[in-house]
Structure formats: C-alpha cells, structure tokens
Amino acid sequence: MAEGIQVFKEALFSSVPIEAIFFTESGERELLGFADVIEQRCQQVFRVSDEVIMYLTDTVNPQGILMVLPFLHQEDLSAVEERGGPLVFLDQVRDPGNMGTLMRVADAAGVKALLVSERSADIYNPKVVRASAGSLVHLPLFIEMDLKTVADRLRKKGYTIVATATQGDLTFWDYEWSSNTMVIMGNEAWGIPEEDLELADVKVSIPIFGRAESLNVAAAAALILYEIRRKNPV
Amino acid sequence: MAEGIQVFKEALFSSVPIEAIFFTESGERELLGFADVIEQRCQQVFRVSDEVIMYLTDTVNPQGILMVLPFLHQEDLSAVEERGGPLVFLDQVRDPGNMGTLMRVADAAGVKALLVSERSADIYNPKVVRASAGSLVHLPLFIEMDLKTVADRLRKKGYTIVATATQGDLTFWDYEWSSNTMVIMGNEAWGIPEEDLELADVKVSIPIFGRAESLNVAAAAALILYEIRRKNPV
C-alpha cells in the first residue's frame, strides 16, 4: 500500500500495475486531470470516506489517496549483473525512514539496484514508501539477500565490493571508484559486522571534521554514490 | 529536554550546563561509571519510575535517561562572523527529523554555525534532538534569523551566499567553493522561495542521474558541505 499524490504519480507513469486506488473527497481534488490515466492504469477504483482511509493506513493525517501495488522486489539478479553499474547493499539497515531516504538517494545517484539483507526494515513499510518519495517504484529491489553469496557472484562479473567503515583503508575522495561497484552500507547503530567487513575488497571511510561521531546512513550513501558518479561520468 | 545515553554523553563532555537529569532503573545501568561526572556536571539528579519518564517524554519506548538542558541557541552573530568558515542557513525546513539530521551532517562536515529561519521546525523538538545524535550541543545555533539581514551582514565580511536550487548556474562539483560561504538549504517540498533565491550570489544544483525528482535535504546538505571541505582542506 502506498499513500499520497507523489507516489501515485510515480506509479502511474511507471510500468508497475496498480491493483487498486482508494481516494477521499479531498484526494479526488488532487486527482483532477488524471481521470483517463486512472481508468487505463488502475484495475479497481474506490471513492471512500476519510474513516475508511484512516482505517486502511497507519497515518494520523492520511493524504486521501491510497494505492495497492503488487510486490515490487525481484528474484533474479542476472539482468542486474549483466547490465553493470553501481549497486547498493543494505546490511541490516533497520530504520524505515533511513531506508526510504536511501532509496531516494540511490535513485538520484543513478544506482542500478538496491539489495537488502535479512533483518533489515521491510521495504513495504509505509514509512519506507513515504520516505522513498516514489523511488521505490523506480529502483530494482532485491530482499533477503545473503552478502557472501551476492559478493562472490558479483565479483566473478568484475564487480568490486566496497564497505563504508569508520576505519577505512582510504577516504572516499581518494579511492578510485569504478562504475561496477557494490557498496555495503551498514546498520545505523553498529555499522557493518566484522565478518561482513571481511567480505569487502576495500574499506572506505568518510572523514569527520567536527565533533559528530558519524554520519546518518543516507547522508553517507549520498556522498559515496555521487563520488562513484563523479569518477565515472555517464 | 534531551533523551538517551548518546545525547547525555555529548552533553556531559561539552560545556553546556546540565540543569537536571532523570533516570529509571534501566537508565541507571547505562550510567554506571559516570557517577563522578554526573555529580560534578548535573545540578539536580532524579531517580524515577518508568511512568514518570513516559509522562515527561513523548516517546513510546523511552530510553530511561532524560536531561534538562538550558536553551542552546545564541543571539549574537559577531563571533561567528569573525571566525569565518562555512555556515548553513535553513530556510523553512519543517520536518524535525530532517532538521536533526542536517545538524548531524553540518557538524560532521565541520560547519561553524547553523542559522535557522522563522517558520522552521523548533530546534528543541524531541525529534530534532534525537536525529541530531548529540550535534545539537556541538554546533552554534541561531534561530528566527532573517535571511536578508544575515546575507547583507555576512557579505560585508567577505562571505558568499550560495543557494541550492534545481536550476542552478552550475553544479556543486564545478563551483569553486570558498570556505567563507553561507549555504541556503530550502524547504523539503517547495525548496527556496523565489525572493530568497534572489538574495543568493550563486545558485548551485546537484545533478540527478536517475528518476528521483530531488534529493532529501539532509543528503543534499552532505554533498554540498563535503564539497566545500574538499575544496578548502583544513
């Protein structure tokens, strides 16, 4: 279930089938001008009361538009492997807001797919959907991924596996990023577990200039992923 | 009021006077080893029940440690002006989570002060405090700032005022950032209002490579502020 006009527009002009749309009177006003596309793209259309929307969502101030989308994650990594380009692996990122923001950042930086480990936030959590601001439907997503399996497989295709760590071999500025890189981003509180760090070919750090202990995981991802782009102009 | 062991440690080893500390039985276990410093640094110490902490905080799962700190924001920009170095101006950033994360990012990037406009989130909102992960007590803060007044004043001290905009004069990679820059970061939904954009000397954009419409404001700040550092090594 995805809420709000922003995700709605993203889904409408994507290839994702929209199983159903629910909207309230106030939601309907935002949908003016979309009537034709809604008819074409939405399998079921329901005009409902505010109470129904509030019952269906977990939000205190629901936005009056709710869509039911199919599960979006994919199963087969082959196409991603063949296409190449930067990938992100989320290693037990637990906070749904962080995960959604990470999706948005990865999308903006032109990442080719997001791989999510077990014991991470649920990619379909409403807070993830909201924070992703539509990027959930843009980005190829893989869930319950095993880091070792994925790392071994991608390495055979010429990928480098890079971990972000407080103690890195070098800074993200000094590292010569190649486009075929999978970046591991770790948990908000404890980072990347030691045994997972050992699966990386390189450990890269982000320098801290002030007194903060570390960066928020989505901000760190923005720095790393834009650095990959900078060193691999499209 | 600031919650949790992380902010507690930051405050304890800062110069901020701690007016009071409340802790529960579970909170007390985390405070083991800090007894001497608590006695020195905290004017009042209260051991309370879980119910009291839940009443005092807005959190569903309170962390068992709560501090009362004085207001932290400053009134006089003179010291900041004289010291120089990068500054951030938040122009109606409304989401407390974003604001707290922005504080953490600004702190990590070695920003010298954070200036907050009117109609922004309250810097003392508990969600700001939590998301700032202690950076609230590190970073000189100014609130209810008027952009025009501040821009005029800083420009006289040799500062450049740079706005982040979707339509920039050049990208943040190509711009020759000087250390004495004040960066304006805009509202999550509508960016920087037209009349405020006109107060900037330069408009700089962050390129978007995928299908995301824009970046989260804290992620955008990370890119900009680290770029200033990169071009002005300390």
Side-chain angles (χ1 to χ4, degrees), chain B residues 89-125:
Chain B
F89 187 97
L90 300 190
D91 197 351
Q92 301 183 51
V93 170
R94 296 276 169 89
D95 180 86
N98 280 343
M99 180 176 282
T101 307
L102 268 160
M103 286 179 184
R104 186 172 168 193
V105 164
D107 182 12
V111 159
K112 298 305 175 190
L114 190 72
L115 287 65
V116 177
S117 76
E118 288 189 344
R119 295 189 297 280
S120 291
D122 176 5
I123 63 166
Y124 302 112
N125 179 311

Side-chain angles (χ1 to χ4, degrees), chain B:
Chain B
M1 292 211 293
E3 253 189 282
I5 184 79
Q6 192 177 13
V7 186
F8 169 73
K9 285 187 196 166
E10 300 293 342
L12 207 63
F13 300 106
S14 75
S15 58
V16 174
I18 302 170
E19 298 183 354
I21 180 163
F22 296 79
F23 53 82
T24 61
E25 203 179 324
S26 72
E28 192 168 17
R29 279 193 292 274
E30 298 204 65
L31 296 176
L32 285 174
F34 290 108
D36 288 355
V37 210
I38 290 175
E39 198 175 317
Q40 274 172 40
R41 293 276 289 114
C42 304
Q43 292 160 35
Q44 291 184 286
V45 179
F46 301 96
R47 194 176 187 289
V48 295
S49 66
D50 291 351
E51 287 71 30
V52 170
I53 288 274
M54 282 183 67
Y55 181 80
L56 290 171
T57 67
D58 69 333
T59 330
V60 184
N61 297 304
Q63 301 188 49
I65 300 169
L66 185 74
M67 276 182 311
V68 181
L69 301 176
F71 287 121
L72 298 166
H73 64 269
Q74 303 178 16
E75 302 286 343
D76 184 5
L77 267 179
S78 315
V80 167
E81 273 177 353
E82 295 308 326
R83 203 162 46 228
L87 305 175
V88 173
F89 187 97
L90 300 190
D91 197 351
Q92 301 183 51
V93 170
R94 296 276 169 89
D95 180 86
N98 280 343
M99 180 176 282
T101 307
L102 268 160
M103 286 179 184
R104 186 172 168 193
V105 164
D107 182 12
V111 159
K112 298 305 175 190
L114 190 72
L115 287 65
V116 177
S117 76
E118 288 189 344
R119 295 189 297 280
S120 291
D122 176 5
I123 63 166
Y124 302 112
N125 179 311
K127 287 185 188 167
V128 174
V129 179
R130 264 196 302 278
S132 86
S135 293
L136 185 82
V137 302
H138 298 154
L139 206 61
L141 296 167
F142 296 83
I143 61 172
E144 295 176 11
M145 291 280 111
D146 176 65
L147 180 57
K148 183 163 186 342
T149 313
V150 169
D152 288 348
R153 195 174 156 162
L154 287 171
R155 214 176 268 120
K156 283 189 195 123
K157 295 282 176 182
Y159 265 82
T160 311
I161 315 301
V162 179
T164 48
T166 42
Q167 301 296 325
D169 305 321
L170 68 183
T171 74
F172 78 107
W173 285 331
D174 295 327
Y175 178 59
E176 282 307 318
W177 296 93
S178 92
S179 177
N180 285 355
T181 297
M182 182 175 83
V183 181
I184 312 173
M185 302 299 306
N187 174 277
E188 297 86 345
W190 65 76
I192 300 172
E194 196 54 50
E195 66 268 28
D196 288 355
L197 275 180
E198 284 166 18
L199 296 174
D201 304 312
V202 189
K203 293 172 203 65
V204 166
S205 64
I206 296 173
I208 301 287
F209 297 96
R211 287 188 288 158
E213 267 184 39
S214 64
L215 274 172
N216 160 282
V217 62
L223 291 173
I224 300 279
L225 299 173
Y226 270 80
E227 193 64 20
I228 298 179
R229 273 288 156 228
R230 180 185 209 141
K231 288 183 174 143
N232 298 277
V234 261

Side-chain angles (χ1 to χ4, degrees), chain A residues 157-203:
Chain A
K157 296 282 176 181
Y159 265 82
T160 311
I161 315 301
V162 180
T164 48
T166 41
Q167 301 296 326
D169 305 320
L170 68 184
T171 75
F172 78 107
W173 285 332
D174 295 329
Y175 178 59
E176 282 307 318
W177 296 93
S178 92
S179 176
N180 285 356
T181 297
M182 182 175 83
V183 181
I184 311 172
M185 303 298 308
N187 175 277
E188 297 86 346
W190 65 76
I192 300 172
E194 197 55 50
E195 67 268 28
D196 289 354
L197 275 180
E198 284 167 17
L199 296 174
D201 303 311
V202 189
K203 293 172 203 62

Side-chain angles (χ1 to χ4, degrees), chain A residues 75-132:
Chain A
E75 302 286 344
D76 183 5
L77 267 180
S78 316
V80 167
E81 273 177 354
E82 295 308 325
R83 206 162 45 227
L87 305 175
V88 174
F89 187 97
L90 301 190
D91 198 350
Q92 300 184 50
V93 169
R94 296 276 169 90
D95 181 85
N98 281 343
M99 180 176 284
T101 307
L102 268 161
M103 286 180 185
R104 186 173 168 193
V105 165
D107 182 12
V111 160
K112 298 306 175 190
L114 191 72
L115 286 65
V116 178
S117 76
E118 288 189 345
R119 295 189 296 280
S120 291
D122 176 4
I123 62 166
Y124 301 113
N125 180 311
K127 287 184 188 166
V128 174
V129 179
R130 264 196 301 279
S132 87

